[in-house]
């Protein structure tokens, strides 16, 4: 399979205007059968990705005139294929056209510009192995969403045929399947009788090697099995023989044994013995996850009784199981949202309408956090609180949403003169948020769901305000308790008019709750008072929503 020349200059010059509406900002690189540019759409004032292809550049991708002609047809088919599917986990196409430049005529696609990393960034180079919490989090937050996208593709009669982590882009924490250059639709006839093998061998199903044109949905399932294997064991060794069944060598835990069976079936060499549809693969994964998380004491309960006591059981699990419950909610609904997570039918982030009934025990806030209800008590109104401290992942996403308002200098993130976060120099394990190429990123993705620390009171308060939330007051902090041993939390609020620097301790202080003695409520200490611009390696924060 021929590869593009790395020495060739970009086909289009940076700064040129394409078709009167796209300003080319930068050459991103070479994609499948073409070049990709970052561009700015003048009429709608948004950044897009432009993929271009011309007969001249096809000489770098194909072996002869006939293959060049069919490659151009594949490019057009990529447009048709992507235009068929509208799904949150599929890269969206905006426009298609043709134009001329000094190098000759060419055709282009305008599509979503995703400035983040690829799906590879969500996975550990060494694999999650028996790190149960990280593996389950990755399955729920990322892999299930990829399955949703692939299922949508297949529902339109399209087979991707080149699924791999590098062809899945990350829009924040949302995976988007891209690069449909090798996609095949049952509605379209084949373009070439060439035996030339196209795709990435490590993820390619055996039948795709034998007859590329006839590779069906089972070929994509084989690729998904390989990606799942990588999540557990680490990046595939280039020396591993392709087109073979994959299995886990050291599957000692119950969860890994279940995943091993799933990976084996997904990567069967005989496509007839694989999962035949994405829902089959998803169902197997959900079954493994449910059996692993659901406590044994609940499993024997009859279906009728379980339905009658559903809310009570879930709240009990939350109190006992912490984050395990967080995942269980989504998996019990086969990856979809359930009514129990939304109070009185409210959409995520929208305040519940208490006139339509009492608030639900759980509520999804605008930042994607599921919050826990604390019912009204005496004169204190009801409120929701985060079940655990805000994570590195959530704070990193927040910073990227407001990055145009921020400055970063010498490892310090500021909004105006107010310090929000100390990102440091990547020398300490808690310094997990970095800044590069005008975006914030997480340095070690396996730590993405650790509590974020070194956030100042200003930064914690800004996060809360951005999502229409607040920091807990002292009484709420006493009632909530703290889930993270050895960590303290920002609470309450700084005095009005407190500036970023130089105040006296009596006027410019914020509160930090010390949960070291939380085991006995009667022994809880009062908060320690600190300056609102200080950030500490042992201080995180959580948020609340008051239902006044």
């Amino acid at each position: 399979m021929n590869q593009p020349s790395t020495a060739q200059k970009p086909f289009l010059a940076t700064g040129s205007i394409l078709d009167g509406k796209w300003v080319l900002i930068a050459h991103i690189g070479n994609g499948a059968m073409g070049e990709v540019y970052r561009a700015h759409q003048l009429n709608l004032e948004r950044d897009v990705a432009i993929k271009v292809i011309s007969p001249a550049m096809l000489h770098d991708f194909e072996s002869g005139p006939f293959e060049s002609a069919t490659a151009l047809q594949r490019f057009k088919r990529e447009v048709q294929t992507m235009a068929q599917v509208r799904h949150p986990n599929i890269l969206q196409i905006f426009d298609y056209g043709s134009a001329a430049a000094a190098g000759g005529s060419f055709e282009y696609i305008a599509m979503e510009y995703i400035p983040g990393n690829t799906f590879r960034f969500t996975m550990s180079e060494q694999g999650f192995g028996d790190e149960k919490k990280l593996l389950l989090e990755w399955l729920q937050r990322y892999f299930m969403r990829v399955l949703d996208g692939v299922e949508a593709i297949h529902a339109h009669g399209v087979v991707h045929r080149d699924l791999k982590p590098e062809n899945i882009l990350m829009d924040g924490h949302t995976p988007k399947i891209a690069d449909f250059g090798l996609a095949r639709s049952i509605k379209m006839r084949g373009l070439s009788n060439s035996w030339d093998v196209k795709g990435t061998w490590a993820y390619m199903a055996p039948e795709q090697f034998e007859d590329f044109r006839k590779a069906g949905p089972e070929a994509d399932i084989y690729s998904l099995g390989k990606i799942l294997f990588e999540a557990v064991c680490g990046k595939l060794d280039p020396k591993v023989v392709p087109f073979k069944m994959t299995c886990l060598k050291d599957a000692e835990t119950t969860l890994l044994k279940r995943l091993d069976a799933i990976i084996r079936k997904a990567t069967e060499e005989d496509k007839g013995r694989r999962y035949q549809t994405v829902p089959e693969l998803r169902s197997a994964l959900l079954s493994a996850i449910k059996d692993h998380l659901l406590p044994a004491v609940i499993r024997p309960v009859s279906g009728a009784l379980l339905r009658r006591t559903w809310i009570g059981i879930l709240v009990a699990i939350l109190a006992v199981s912490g984050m395990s419950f967080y995942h269980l909610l989504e998996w019990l609904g086969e990856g979809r949202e359930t009514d129990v997570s939304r109070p009185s039918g409210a959409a995520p982030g929208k305040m519940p309408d208490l006139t339509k009934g009492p608030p639900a025990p759980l509520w999804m806030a605008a930042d994607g956090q599921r919050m826990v209800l604390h019912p009204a008590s005496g004169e204190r109104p009801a409120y929701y609180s985060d079940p655990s401290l805000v994570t590195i992942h959530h704070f990193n996403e927040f910073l990227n949403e407001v990055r145009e308002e921020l400055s970063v200098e010498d490892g310090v993130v500021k909004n105006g003169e107010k310090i929000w976060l100390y990102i440091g120099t990547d020398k300490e394990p808690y310094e997990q948020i970095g800044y590069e190429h005008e975006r914030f990123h997480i340095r070690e993705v396996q730590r993405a769901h650790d509590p974020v620390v070194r956030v100042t009171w200003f930064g914690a308060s800004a996060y809360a305000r951005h999502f229409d939330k607040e920091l807990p007051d002292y009484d709420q902090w006493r009632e909530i308790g703290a889930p993270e041993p050895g960590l303290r939390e920002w609470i309450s609020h700084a005095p009005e008019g407190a500036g970023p620097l130089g105040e006296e301790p009596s006027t410019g202080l914020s509160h930090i709750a010390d949960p070291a003695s939380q085991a006995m409520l009667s022994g809880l200490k009062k908060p320690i008072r600190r300056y609102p611009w200080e950030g500490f390696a042992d201080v995180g924060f959580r948020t609340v929503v008051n239902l006044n």
Side-chain angles (χ1 to χ4, degrees), residues 133 136 146 185 209 256 298 327 353:
K133 179 181 177 182
L136 292 175
V146 173
S185 172
F209 176 79
L256 290 184
I298 296 178
H327 305 296
D353 184 356

Side-chain angles (χ1 to χ4, degrees), residues 19-298:
D19 232 2
K21 54 185 174 181
W22 321 98
V23 180
L24 301 183
I25 298 174
H27 176 252
I28 298 175
N30 293 325
M33 305 178 306
E35 294 183 347
V36 183
Y37 297 81
R38 178 184 176 184
H40 186 74
Q41 187 174 359
L42 295 172
N43 57 346
L44 295 181
E45 296 187 351
R46 62 178 175 183
D47 282 0
V48 300
I50 299 287
K51 184 174 182 178
V52 304
I53 188 170
S54 73
M57 70 176 63
L58 286 176
H59 291 296
D60 282 333
F61 290 87
E62 303 296 342
S63 57
F66 180 74
E67 284 301 307
S68 295
T70 56
L72 191 58
Q73 291 299 314
R74 278 199 300 274
F75 182 79
K76 293 179 180 179
R77 189 169 66 182
E78 179 174 357
V79 181
Q80 294 172 318
T81 299
M82 294 177 69
Q84 290 179 38
V85 188
R86 293 294 301 274
H87 190 274
N89 299 116
I90 304 294
L91 193 72
Q92 184 180 355
I93 184 169
F94 296 140
D95 199 2
Y96 170 77
S98 58
S105 62
F106 62 93
E107 300 187 50
Y108 69 87
I109 309 174
M111 45 195 171
E112 275 187 280
Y113 172 65
I114 307 296
N117 295 280
T118 69
F119 197 64
R120 177 73 65 192
F121 188 73
T122 70
M123 304 158 68
S124 168
E125 286 286 322
Q126 294 76 36
F128 296 122
D130 58 0
E131 292 286 343
K132 178 182 65 178
K133 179 181 177 182
L134 294 175
L135 179 55
L136 292 175
E137 180 73 16
W138 180 84
L139 286 168
Q140 180 268 329
R141 187 173 292 277
Y142 301 116
F143 194 65
M144 290 297 184
R145 302 299 179 253
V146 173
L147 294 188
D148 291 344
V150 178
E151 182 179 9
I153 293 170
H154 291 177
H156 284 77
V158 176
V159 185
H160 191 283
R161 300 197 295 186
D162 197 19
L163 286 173
K164 57 184 177 181
E166 288 71 23
N167 280 348
I168 304 170
L169 306 180
M170 294 304 300
D171 184 8
H173 59 268
T174 301
K176 289 181 176 284
I177 300 171
D179 219 334
F180 282 72
L182 302 182
R184 173 180 178 270
S185 172
I186 59 175
K187 303 173 185 177
M188 303 175 185
R189 63 181 181 85
L191 296 175
S192 172
N193 291 321
S194 171
W195 185 83
D196 187 20
V197 177
K198 293 178 173 62
T200 306
W201 284 23
Y203 306 91
M204 189 188 300
E207 69 271 15
Q208 191 168 334
F209 176 79
E210 295 168 0
D211 191 340
F212 177 76
R213 296 166 299 159
K214 294 183 179 180
E218 304 89 355
D220 285 347
I221 289 173
Y222 181 92
S223 302
L224 291 169
K226 286 294 190 74
I227 295 173
L228 181 57
F229 172 82
E230 283 190 302
V232 179
C233 297
K235 191 172 182 179
L236 290 170
D237 187 338
K239 298 180 181 179
V240 173
V241 178
F243 319 124
K244 298 292 184 181
M245 176 195 289
T246 306
C247 61
L248 306 181
K249 293 182 180 179
D250 301 311
E252 298 180 356
T253 67
T254 303
L255 177 61
L256 290 184
K257 289 178 180 178
R258 293 291 298 274
L259 291 179
D260 178 49
I262 292 170
I263 291 170
R264 287 173 182 266
K265 185 169 183 178
T267 60
E268 276 274 4
E269 294 175 43
D270 180 354
K271 67 178 183 180
R273 301 181 65 179
R274 285 180 219 144
Y275 298 106
Q276 298 298 293
T277 65
V278 172
E280 285 184 30
L281 174 57
R282 181 192 292 111
S283 178
L285 282 169
L286 289 171
S287 177
I289 293 166
K290 292 178 192 176
D291 289 348
H292 183 73
L293 291 180
L294 200 58
V297 68
I298 296 178

